[in-house]
Amino acid sequence: MERIRLTTAQALVQFLDQQYVDFGGGPERFVHGVFTVFGHGNVLGLGQALQEAPGELTVYQGRNEQGMVHAAAAFAKQSRRRKIMACTASVGPGSANMLTAAATATANQLPVLLLPGDTFATRQPDPVLQQMEHTHNLSITVNDAFKAVSKYWDRVTRPEQLMSAMLNAMRVLTDPGDTGAVTIALPQDVQGEAWDYPADFFRKRIHRVIPRLPHPQEITAAAELITGKQRPLLICGGGVRYGDAGAALRSFAERFAIPFGETQAGKSAVPSSFEYNLGGIGVTGNGCANALAQEADLVIGVGTRFTDFTTASKSLFAHPEVEFLTLNASPYHAAKLDALAVVCDAAEGLNALAAALEERGYRSEYGTDIAEAKQSWAMERERLAGVEYPVGAGMKEQAGGASEESGLDRLAGEFIPEVAGHLDEKLPEYAEVLGTSLTQTQVLGIINEVIPQDAIVIGAAGSLPGDMQRMWNSEVPDTYHMEYGFSCMGYEIAGALGIKLAEPEREVYALVGDGSYQMLHSELVTSLQENRKINVLLLDNAGFGCINNLQMEQGMDSMGTEFRYRGPDGQLSGDLMRIDYAASAAGYGVQTFRASTVEELRTALAAARQSERSTLIDIKVLPKTMTHGYGAWWNVGVAEVSGLEAVQEAYNRKRSGLEKARSY
Ligand SMILES: Cc1ncc(C[n+]2csc(CCOP(=O)(O)OP(=O)(O)O)c2C)c(N)n1
Ligand SMILES: [Mg+2]
């Protein structure tokens, strides 16, 4: 047998360069590049291998290991998990920096290959720089922390272990039912050690991803269950998009007159305007999907994990006789809510079920309810997009006069009734310091109207995902990219880069809060370096807005969630901080704009589109002008005892919420 003498790292690079996947349309290259932040733990091993013989792998320079892994995860998500990137980090802090993004990828079931450097397998120089010493167990390193956030974890302590490690890595990375972050820890000495690898290990390998077919018995049982129901409701989860099942869902809904709600991962599988698409469902869902969810006698989850946001902490599906049916490639997710489970790919399952229902001549009994619910939501969305700060004189004057106060009152009432009182006091101050008259819902309405329909929007954390799941209308498939499995602040901008690498021809817009921008935006520099234009739409409301809402809705006062200077009372209660985000990005070379009026926003959006390089629009928005809940409860950890009456009341609301929710 032919053998090739290579270092472990060289063998790894050669192997990655030969991996292909076939999802039914012929072989396609699987690993497209390697994101790197080099340090002593990887530059002389994996770095050397990538320099000498990278094959067709592009080497990218990340700025922050978390950011680069987010970019890799977003690349995979936008590629519907058919293309991946690898990420290599140095030992110790470089590796540890990948943990948050590894968890994000795994929670969202997105394949990324992580290659953290590790301490010496020989232990000769121990403790090496950045080594953590566990006195009770010298085999534990920082990289063991990845076990908790990976779908597959391995450490290659001898060159020949690479082969079984990588074959297993590929098994998991290409598994539609159980993929996520795969971590292969590489001790820095082993990366450079040579071995005679069998040539066969480096042959072109095509991983055939065969659609998982439902069993006929499952389909019969599912069809019988549906036949007995009048008001079934579908849920379109991420599995519909990953499984390319948008068309199958659409025709299924149409044939049997069954509407569907969208999860964050499922949105944009089917156009928002489709007559059976109710839009976002759950805690961040809209009034239409949530209203029909209350009355559904059967919930059919297609490719959904049924998170607490989708089920409203298991309270949303309130029909006394509601039952659950699931179509999911993962037996684990299919079994949720004690459902009748059909373990299959979404398209295969829907098509088989359609044939069985056709035979039974099934049709739902919604009548005109679907169209009416959709219409009433369309009106509410229009109202939200039209809410304006009370116009009149200059902002200072607005804050003073009695007539303006009633205007503010009304504005507060348009959004979150629970916090209207607080808003009354604070809105004039915010309007003045931020110098803006824009509301968040108004801004979203304009962005949705103005940017190209085939542009991709990305979000992850803060109040924007909720507003977008409710308000965003997407007509072109796969234009809505939301990371809501982990809702990880910092994913947005890094992820936008990953999307742009996956789809260079389309405009990409990262919708990001000021808090999330501050947390992590360094891959913006990588977008300039790679000449991959991304657009950052930064909505600055001077705080962790959604968390401020949460604490105030649950009886607390504002604390630690607004961006205020420390005040004379020793608390974070001083003046609001005004931050010039446009100036921060301009320093990198990003083309920047500022918007605090409708006209400025429209002008900036038009100019950003024309720009050749990455852009950022610093949009000042009034806090609390986001959407609120539409009939969906969320179980949060409220204090059981407190001296504050408002907290006691919140706790009592939680108790009564729990009484109406399913226990499992
Ligand atoms: C990495 C990370 N840390 C903390 C949180 C908890 N968290 C969720 S939203 C949020 C505030 C987000 O603020 P901002 O980005 O300004 O959005 P806004 O709610 O103001 O729209 C925080 C701290 C999180 N989701 N991710
Ligand atoms: Mg904010």
Side-chain angles (χ1 to χ4, degrees):
M1 192 201 302
E2 195 196 333
R3 292 199 169 251
I4 308 173
R5 190 159 181 80
L6 293 169
T7 68
T8 305
Q10 291 161 356
L12 171 59
V13 171
Q14 282 212 15
F15 175 85
L16 292 180
D17 193 36
Q18 293 301 324
Q19 303 309 304
Y20 290 76
V21 280
D22 185 348
F23 279 79
E28 288 177 72
R29 165 170 283 274
F30 190 48
V31 189
H32 284 251
V34 185
F35 267 103
T36 66
V37 173
F38 286 129
H40 68 92
N42 61 345
V43 70
L44 304 176
L46 210 48
Q48 189 280 334
L50 284 167
Q51 183 170 60
E52 188 166 311
E56 287 180 40
L57 300 170
T58 306
V59 176
Y60 297 97
Q61 185 183 66
R63 293 284 161 311
N64 168 300
E65 291 87 354
Q66 181 185 336
M68 76 182 183
V69 177
H70 284 326
F75 175 84
K77 183 173 167 80
Q78 196 62 30
S79 309
R80 290 185 290 121
R81 309 194 296 203
R82 290 156 193 215
K83 295 178 189 171
I84 69 160
M85 297 271 190
C87 298
T88 163
S90 188
V91 68
S95 297
N97 258 357
M98 295 202 293
L99 277 167
T100 305
T104 306
T106 294
N108 287 281
Q109 306 186 100
L110 298 172
V112 288
L113 175 59
L114 306 181
L115 305 167
D118 213 325
T119 51
F120 273 66
T122 63
R123 301 190 185 168
Q124 182 276 327
D126 283 10
V128 65
L129 175 67
Q130 301 172 330
Q131 177 166 343
M132 181 170 288
E133 294 180 280
H134 283 282
T135 52
H136 69 290
N137 184 339
L138 289 182
S139 72
I140 295 177
T141 77
V142 164
N143 288 339
D144 285 80
F146 283 89
K147 288 176 182 171
V149 295
S150 300
K151 284 282 179 169
Y152 178 77
W153 185 97
D154 211 340
R155 178 181 284 131
V156 176
T157 56
R158 296 174 58 95
E160 57 269 47
Q161 286 176 353
L162 182 73
M163 296 175 290
S164 63
M166 291 317 297
L167 292 175
N168 275 292
M170 292 304 300
R171 169 180 63 80
V172 175
L173 289 165
T174 58
D175 181 346
D178 209 18
T179 192
V182 166
T183 302
I184 308 293
L186 299 165
Q188 52 182 300
D189 51 346
V190 179
Q191 289 179 43
E193 280 171 18
W195 197 65
D196 294 314
Y197 286 93
D200 187 56
F201 179 58
F202 305 110
R203 74 179 152 78
K204 179 173 176 176
R205 223 171 275 271
I206 302 169
H207 305 267
R208 291 200 163 74
V209 184
I210 308 296
R212 224 175 270 207
L213 301 180
H215 192 280
Q217 282 177 20
E218 293 174 311
I219 291 298
T220 304
E224 273 162 18
L225 178 59
I226 296 175
T227 314
K229 302 289 184 178
Q230 282 89 53
R231 291 175 79 95
L233 172 77
L234 288 151
I235 296 181
C236 170
V240 175
R241 286 176 61 183
Y242 299 132
D244 222 349
L249 180 70
R250 196 188 162 117
S251 95
F252 188 90
E254 216 157 30
R255 275 155 90 175
F256 309 110
I258 304 178
F260 61 87
E262 299 169 311
T263 71
Q264 291 278 23
K267 196 173 179 76
S268 84
V270 178
S272 300
S273 57
F274 175 58
E275 64 178 302
Y276 292 100
N277 186 352
L278 307 175
I281 195 164
V283 176
T284 44
N286 67 40
C288 157
N290 285 353
L292 292 193
Q294 306 274 347
E295 295 161 14
D297 54 5
L298 176 69
V299 176
I300 311 172
V302 187
T304 173
R305 296 189 300 128
F306 280 118
T307 70
D308 64 341
F309 267 72
T310 297
T311 65
S313 303
K314 303 196 172 84
S315 71
L316 185 61
F317 310 114
H319 189 287
E321 271 136 48
V322 65
E323 289 181 89
F324 295 88
L325 169 65
T326 53
L327 275 61
N328 204 300
S330 149
Y332 172 83
H333 297 306
K336 287 185 177 165
L337 291 168
D338 213 4
L340 175 63
V342 184
V343 180
C344 62
D345 278 24
E348 305 291 335
L350 286 167
N351 291 338
L353 199 49
L357 285 179
E358 202 81 58
E359 271 173 30
R360 290 164 172 79
Y362 181 77
R363 203 162 166 85
S364 82
E365 290 171 24
Y366 279 96
T368 57
D369 290 359
I370 298 168
E372 281 162 20
K374 255 186 96 88
Q375 178 55 26
S376 86
W377 172 250
M379 284 161 62
E380 169 66 356
R381 186 198 174 280
E382 204 168 313
R383 181 189 75 78
L384 290 166
V387 185
E388 286 181 353
Y389 189 79
V391 275
M395 274 160 207
K396 271 189 185 151
E397 287 147 52
Q398 277 187 24
S403 62
E404 283 84 9
E405 234 165 60
S406 63
L408 292 177
D409 209 17
R410 207 175 49 246
L411 179 61
E414 306 239 35
F415 292 103
I416 305 167
E418 292 83 351
V419 296
H422 303 262
L423 190 54
D424 262 1
E425 297 159 22
K426 288 187 178 168
L427 209 54
E429 178 198 359
Y430 270 101
E432 190 184 339
V433 176
L434 290 172
T436 190
S437 62
L438 289 168
T439 68
Q440 178 159 313
T441 55
Q442 185 185 25
V443 166
L444 277 179
I446 292 170
I447 297 170
N448 201 179
E449 173 203 318
V450 167
I451 68 170
Q453 283 212 331
D454 69 345
I456 299 157
V457 290
I458 170 173
S463 62
L464 281 165
D467 282 9
M468 289 170 72
Q469 198 192 358
R470 293 185 182 109
M471 286 184 69
W472 198 263
N473 286 331
S474 56
E475 293 306 312
V476 177
D478 296 327
T479 50
Y480 184 88
H481 181 126
M482 188 63 67
E483 186 285 287
Y484 217 60
F486 222 47
S487 189
C488 186
M489 292 168 73
Y491 179 87
E492 301 91 335
I493 292 174
L497 171 65
I499 296 174
K500 191 67 178 178
L501 292 172
E503 301 214 43
E505 305 308 322
R506 294 161 99 178
E507 287 288 318
V508 182
Y509 293 86
L511 280 93
V512 60
D514 48 335
S516 212
Y517 179 82
Q518 287 183 51
M519 195 166 283
L520 178 60
H521 62 258
S522 35
E523 301 316 317
L524 197 45
V525 177
T526 316
S527 83
L528 295 168
Q529 175 180 44
E530 294 291 334
N531 196 19
R532 300 285 185 180
K533 177 196 171 190
I534 59 172
N535 305 286
V536 178
L537 305 176
L538 190 160
L539 276 74
D540 177 10
N541 56 12
F544 295 148
C546 66
I547 308 298
N548 184 264
N549 290 348
L550 178 64
Q551 64 186 182
M552 290 169 105
E553 281 164 8
Q554 302 295 336
M556 281 178 70
D557 207 342
S558 174
M559 186 191 74
T561 51
E562 294 171 278
F563 298 159
R564 291 182 182 278
Y565 292 100
R566 192 162 294 283
D569 60 355
Q571 308 297 315
L572 293 174
S573 58
D575 289 343
L576 276 174
M577 302 176 77
R578 191 186 148 88
I579 299 175
D580 187 346
Y581 293 102
S584 110
Y588 300 134
V590 169
Q591 186 164 4
T592 58
F593 308 88
R594 295 183 178 85
S596 48
T597 65
V598 169
E599 292 65 37
E600 283 169 0
L601 179 60
R602 286 184 183 276
T603 309
L605 284 167
R609 197 174 160 187
Q610 297 307 319
S611 174
E612 302 264 298
R613 62 177 199 274
S614 291
T615 69
L616 178 143
I617 310 181
D618 183 352
I619 309 168
K620 304 297 185 197
V621 293
L622 294 163
K624 310 270 180 237
T625 57
M626 56 282 278
T627 62
H628 58 87
Y630 287 85
W633 173 71
W634 190 31
N635 187 1
V636 282
V638 186
E640 190 169 350
V641 290
S642 161
L644 282 180
E645 206 177 313
V647 173
Q648 287 285 302
E649 279 167 17
Y651 185 75
N652 292 340
R653 286 201 299 276
K654 176 194 164 95
R655 298 291 314 173
S656 60
L658 268 175
E659 273 161 29
K660 291 180 211 127
R662 302 164 61 85
S663 321
Y664 63 94

